[in-house]
Amino acid sequence: MHSSFSRLLPCSLLSAALIAAAAPAGAQLFRPAPPAHYAWSDQSLSPDQRADMVIKEMTLDERISLLHGQGFSFGQQRPSSGTESNGGAGLTPAIPRLGIPAIQMADSAYGVTRGAFMGRYSTALTNNLGAASSWDPQAAFEYGQLIGRELRDQGYSMSLGGGVNLPREPRNGRTFEYQGEDPLLAGTLDGNVEKGVQSEHIIGDLKHYAINDQESGRNAVNANISARAMRETDLRAFEIALKISDAGGVMCSYNRVNGDFACENNYLLNDVLKRDFKFQGFVLSDWGGTHSTAKASHNGLDMEQPGETFFGDALKKAVESGEVSQAELDEHVHRILRTIFATGLFDHPVVRQVPDVDGGYAIAEKIAEKSIVLLKDSNHVLPLSASVRSIVLIGGHADKGVITGGGSAQVNPPGGNAVPPPPPAPGERFGRREEWLPDAPLQAFKARFGDSNVSYVSGDDPAAAAAAAKNADAAIVFGYQGESEGMDLKSLDLPDVQNKLIETVAAANPKTIVVLETGSPATMPWIDKVSGVIEAWFPGIRGSEALAKIVAGDVNPTGKLAITFPKSDADLPHPTLVLPPPESEPHRPAPGQNISEFMAQMQKGLPAFQVQYDEGLKVGYKWYDAEKKPVLFPFGFGLSYTTYAYSGLSVKTGDGLTVTFTVKNTGHRAGTEIAQVYTSFPESAGEPPKRLIGWARVELAPGESKPVTITVPQDRYTVYDEPSESWKLVPGSYTVMVGASSRDLPLTKSVSLQ
Ligand code: BGC
């Protein structure tokens, strides 16, 4: 390790460090020397000017070196390029003679990943869908800022995170990494996450562009979807996120969209992303998602990751033969260089330091408090009052920790997996790989309710759990659903015997509360039998403390669902997940196959199979509304320990809408209400019954009323017109609706828009 450390340090840095070490107490140690001065060091020039100056100095090989990765690194491999891997998922090497830094990339959806390889700590935040329940752009910014800071501390310069696919298929094993079902909410939150990342001069990223909505057969699937449906749903989320964040990277996805792979899809990359969204950064392929050289280059891919099958020597040859023009090559290079300047990475070189663990804990706890959603609270069973003397926690490994989301987003638990999985069953290659953070609800509840008042039983034996529940004042059953990249859920039902356990406990104690740790919606066949339900998501390294505070009533819950909880899988647009035929299936190496062979097989292109997204615009609540389906819990729903009343709606039209109303806290506790504004459309628009067009978080003391004004820009209620490839306002009557959730909208006002 020592020798590699010194190899990473340029001489000027080493001598600066030595001088600092000899400096008087109080002087800052290991301060980086300012980068050497180049013509493009001049910060008064634009990122584009600076990039162009560098390009003029670059050889063809140097240009090509920026356009591909160095092979699978993941902490072990030492690439031959002279730049050592920092242990992340990918990198492009530095060009020291020109002062261009390496781009060291690490997955970082809900925290910096793969710490275990290098013995590094990083803060595991509430998963992305969970944190979206805060509806809080400022919290999203802090989420991203923490990730950016910890990436920098660990020597990385680019985040691979920013997942913003809409859950067309909520059983997608990566739903936990995304921001929910509404493009305005998802785009706004993800945009703020990436803005936070980039505020630390780390390159941000949005992924997986686009329509990568299921993991099953993800390398082969062809998503069939209309342009209008894409533009108003999934692509709209990307568009909004980009506008807010100016993210430097967009990762194209594995799947095909309307016939072409996303990473060589002219419509997605050139027409929409680069032309219409005016994206200035670079497109990088998902890992192994590049399938050609000239086609991918022409159609808008800028960088292949993690290897160089198509954008290494093959690209060089294509440039030399004229198949790819010099101008096209330089455009790819320009996008990468301008991003290095625009994000400030060039001017603020990354310097490693020990992350601020306590600071990370504080942010993680605050975000968890805002993310947890109270779904049911019969007869005010919650918060548990001081008269509750004995509480039994049941199941869900609540004595050990909380579950996390897996795959490339996996943040390694500090100190190791709190619940090591059983060894794989005979014949099983991987087995269960759930990882649990060592933040036990049992400990957090004891700290808040008193040591001797809280006990735990495993739930392995439902009869024993019921007996323990009978003897307690209240029983809290922990249900969970493990989720990961590379798999889809068989069903939204809680797996194994968890539903049975909950029913058995509920029959024994009327004060049964269910806490769910899931990264996607869950069905609840026992909903009428329990008194309380709390959705805690994958709550992160301080999730248990946040949860205990909410159960005790020290924090009043504010979270509201960013995704609908349907009653059953049968109510989904695709009641049955479309599974790939065996030849399109492999998404991980076969036993005995090495990763490079597997990658080559994948990159050749597995045979396509079709998924038809005929639900089109009707994603999430738009589907259930249009189909008039009752749901378990609607989009935007969440309870509080206080109550709110809405009154006095007025809507001013003009350049956009100005929506004004009053919210009153009618209860006895201070709280924050997430007030939502939706609109319907004229019949001729062909839109689902309603669309979210704005919201506000309103903080209210008991009894307090506040006027709320929400300004709604016109682009929130235009529709995409396919023939003219543009957004249009459909003239006619619109009903603006205001209230507490997508299905609780007491205020309405009709306006005519021309
Ligand atoms: C995932 C990406 C991830 C990449 C690098 C891929 O398998 O789909 O989300 O960023 O690996 O780890």
Side-chain angles (χ1 to χ4, degrees):
M1 222 21 241
H2 182 261
S3 63
S4 61
F5 177 65
S6 44
R7 228 178 314 142
L8 275 175
L9 284 177
C11 289
S12 58
L13 266 186
L14 256 185
S15 48
L18 291 173
I19 292 164
Q28 182 136 27
L29 299 182
F30 302 116
R31 179 158 253 179
H37 194 83
Y38 302 90
W40 46 89
S41 301
D42 180 352
Q43 294 186 36
S44 70
L45 300 172
S46 73
D48 291 310
Q49 287 170 319
R50 298 171 81 181
D52 284 340
M53 291 167 94
V54 181
I55 293 182
K56 285 207 188 89
E57 305 293 326
M58 293 170 85
T59 64
L60 177 59
D61 284 335
E62 283 169 339
R63 291 173 210 220
I64 299 277
S65 76
L66 291 188
L67 305 185
H68 62 79
Q70 298 291 317
F72 259 105
S73 44
F74 294 151
Q76 291 120 332
Q77 189 182 321
R78 299 284 172 254
S80 54
S81 63
T83 298
E84 189 157 330
S85 165
N86 193 46
L91 72 93
T92 60
I95 308 178
R97 82 179 182 92
L98 303 175
I100 299 303
I103 304 180
Q104 297 275 3
M105 306 170 185
D107 282 293
S108 34
Y110 62 91
V112 183
T113 58
R114 302 197 180 93
F117 279 117
M118 302 292 216
R120 292 186 282 223
Y121 167 82
S122 49
T123 304
L125 293 155
T126 303
N127 71 295
N128 309 81
L129 177 65
S133 320
S134 72
W135 295 53
D136 186 345
Q138 179 56 31
F141 179 87
E142 287 169 27
Y143 191 106
Q145 193 177 35
L146 177 66
I147 288 174
R149 203 154 50 229
E150 292 192 353
L151 282 165
R152 173 167 277 276
D153 291 344
Q154 299 187 15
Y156 292 109
S157 46
M158 178 168 184
S159 163
L160 304 174
V164 72
N165 299 60
L166 297 194
R168 285 183 179 275
E169 174 46 77
R171 286 162 300 198
N172 178 352
R174 304 188 85 167
T175 298
F176 77 90
E177 280 184 63
Y178 299 133
Q179 303 269 358
E181 69 192 25
D182 181 83
L184 178 62
L185 181 63
T188 304
L189 296 177
D190 207 34
N192 278 283
V193 170
E194 294 313 304
K195 196 171 161 187
V197 168
Q198 295 204 155
S199 72
E200 293 289 321
H201 308 300
I202 293 293
I203 302 172
D205 166 53
L206 300 175
K207 69 187 187 184
H208 303 90
Y209 188 80
I211 324 289
N212 179 185
D213 294 339
Q214 67 176 56
E215 286 294 280
S216 305
R218 68 179 181 179
N219 301 107
V221 63
N222 181 34
N224 294 283
I225 183 166
S226 76
R228 176 173 174 189
M230 269 195 276
R231 296 297 292 259
E232 290 193 27
T233 61
D234 305 50
L235 298 191
R236 183 79 182 132
F238 279 94
E239 184 176 13
I240 294 169
L242 263 182
K243 208 165 169 184
I244 294 172
S245 63
D246 251 329
V250 167
M251 186 190 292
C252 50
S253 54
Y254 284 125
N255 52 294
R256 297 169 166 100
V257 178
N258 294 334
D260 273 335
F261 280 111
C263 289
E264 53 186 40
N265 192 305
N266 189 52
Y267 176 74
L268 285 178
L269 303 182
N270 281 336
D271 294 354
V272 178
L273 183 65
K274 293 185 175 177
R275 183 193 67 198
D276 293 355
F277 296 175
K278 303 189 173 44
F279 174 59
Q280 309 266 295
F282 61 93
V283 176
L284 71 163
S285 73
D286 200 342
W287 269 227
T290 310
H291 300 279
S292 59
T293 301
K295 181 177 179 187
S297 168
H298 297 335
N299 289 355
L301 180 69
D302 299 304
M303 182 194 286
E304 173 182 4
Q305 283 293 343
E308 53 180 306
T309 315
F310 295 105
F311 273 37
D313 276 352
L315 182 59
K316 187 174 171 188
K317 286 202 184 95
V319 173
E320 285 166 343
S321 74
E323 196 188 4
V324 168
S325 71
Q326 185 70 43
E328 186 174 302
L329 176 84
D330 286 352
E331 204 218 304
H332 300 315
V333 178
H334 178 96
R335 285 174 170 276
I336 295 161
L337 289 172
R338 82 147 334 257
T339 302
I340 290 175
F341 291 111
T343 52
L345 178 59
F346 182 87
D347 303 313
H348 304 269
V350 163
V351 183
R352 289 192 181 90
Q353 64 173 17
V354 176
D356 171 8
V357 179
D358 277 351
Y361 269 30
I363 292 172
E365 191 164 324
K366 189 166 111 188
I367 285 170
E369 286 169 13
K370 290 184 170 188
S371 307
I372 291 171
V373 186
L374 177 61
L375 291 174
K376 180 168 182 184
D377 189 16
S378 286
N379 303 320
H380 302 295
V381 64
L382 289 164
L384 290 183
S385 67
S387 64
V388 174
R389 287 268 167 268
S390 59
I391 304 170
V392 59
L393 310 188
I394 298 172
H397 305 289
D399 59 331
K400 300 256 169 44
V402 292
I403 196 167
T404 56
S408 60
Q410 181 71 62
V411 176
N412 297 125
N417 194 346
V419 184
E428 220 185 4
R429 185 162 183 223
F430 294 104
R432 281 170 97 138
R433 289 182 298 170
E434 290 151 3
E435 300 230 13
W436 297 70
L437 296 168
D439 181 45
L442 180 60
Q443 208 179 337
F445 276 70
K446 278 178 177 254
R448 208 143 281 271
F449 290 94
D451 239 18
S452 57
N453 296 333
V454 187
S455 58
Y456 172 77
V457 294
S458 77
D460 291 346
D461 174 357
K470 213 177 199 114
N471 291 326
D473 291 340
I476 305 184
V477 190
F478 286 77
Y480 67 93
Q481 171 85 276
E483 292 166 36
S484 172
E485 176 183 346
M487 52 87 92
D488 291 319
L489 299 179
K490 288 197 183 75
S491 161
L492 296 177
D493 299 343
L494 294 179
D496 307 327
V497 292
Q498 297 188 66
N499 284 335
K500 184 165 173 262
L501 172 68
I502 294 169
E503 295 208 11
T504 312
V505 172
N509 188 327
K511 272 198 182 162
T512 292
I513 296 148
V514 177
V515 170
L516 293 174
E517 292 170 25
T518 69
S520 51
T523 62
M524 305 180 198
W526 33 259
I527 187 69
D528 295 330
K529 299 180 182 148
V530 302
S531 298
V533 180
I534 297 174
E535 176 56 81
W537 312 107
F538 300 151
I541 191 67
R542 296 292 286 175
S544 292
E545 287 69 20
L547 178 67
K549 280 189 195 164
I550 284 179
V551 170
D554 297 331
V555 165
N556 190 359
T558 54
K560 294 205 178 188
L561 298 178
I563 192 165
T564 305
F565 278 42
K567 282 180 175 288
S568 84
D569 291 5
D571 292 333
L572 296 172
H574 303 263
T576 318
L577 191 75
V578 185
L579 292 175
E583 66 275 17
S584 308
E585 168 61 18
H587 57 251
R588 54 167 72 127
Q593 188 181 32
N594 82 29
I595 188 114
S596 312
E597 264 172 50
F598 165 71
M599 197 63 91
Q601 178 194 0
M602 210 167 94
Q603 288 192 265
K604 271 196 209 132
L606 298 168
F609 71 102
Q610 309 298 321
V611 174
Q612 206 62 38
Y613 287 122
D614 290 339
E615 75 284 353
L617 300 173
K618 295 182 281 182
V619 177
Y621 63 91
K622 294 169 185 164
W623 164 259
Y624 302 102
D625 284 354
E627 302 294 314
K628 299 194 170 51
K629 282 182 192 288
V631 298
L632 184 57
F633 295 109
F635 174 78
F637 176 81
L639 298 170
S640 157
Y641 295 147
T642 189
T643 45
Y644 303 100
Y646 287 74
S647 63
L649 173 63
S650 79
V651 181
K652 262 202 222 123
T653 59
D655 184 17
L657 305 175
T658 309
V659 180
T660 308
F661 53 94
T662 299
V663 187
K664 180 171 187 192
N665 181 344
T666 49
H668 302 290
R669 296 187 54 128
T672 300
E673 168 69 335
I674 299 168
Q676 300 156 42
V677 184
Y678 297 80
T679 189
S680 72
F681 286 78
E683 184 89 42
S684 63
E687 284 287 309
K690 69 173 92 80
R691 184 197 286 182
L692 179 76
I693 53 170
W695 72 92
R697 290 173 52 87
V698 194
E699 278 178 40
L700 293 163
E704 189 185 11
S705 284
K706 265 191 196 160
V708 179
T709 298
I710 297 177
T711 311
V712 182
Q714 182 172 301
D715 67 2
R716 292 192 185 170
Y717 51 91
T718 47
V719 306
Y720 189 75
D721 179 57
E722 280 192 12
S724 66
E725 296 189 8
S726 65
W727 292 83
K728 294 217 157 124
L729 178 77
V730 179
S733 172
Y734 290 70
T735 302
V736 174
M737 299 163 255
V738 175
S741 83
S742 65
R743 291 218 168 162
D744 176 12
L745 297 164
L747 308 181
T748 57
K749 180 131 262 151
S750 289
V751 290
S752 165
L753 300 176
Q754 301 304 322

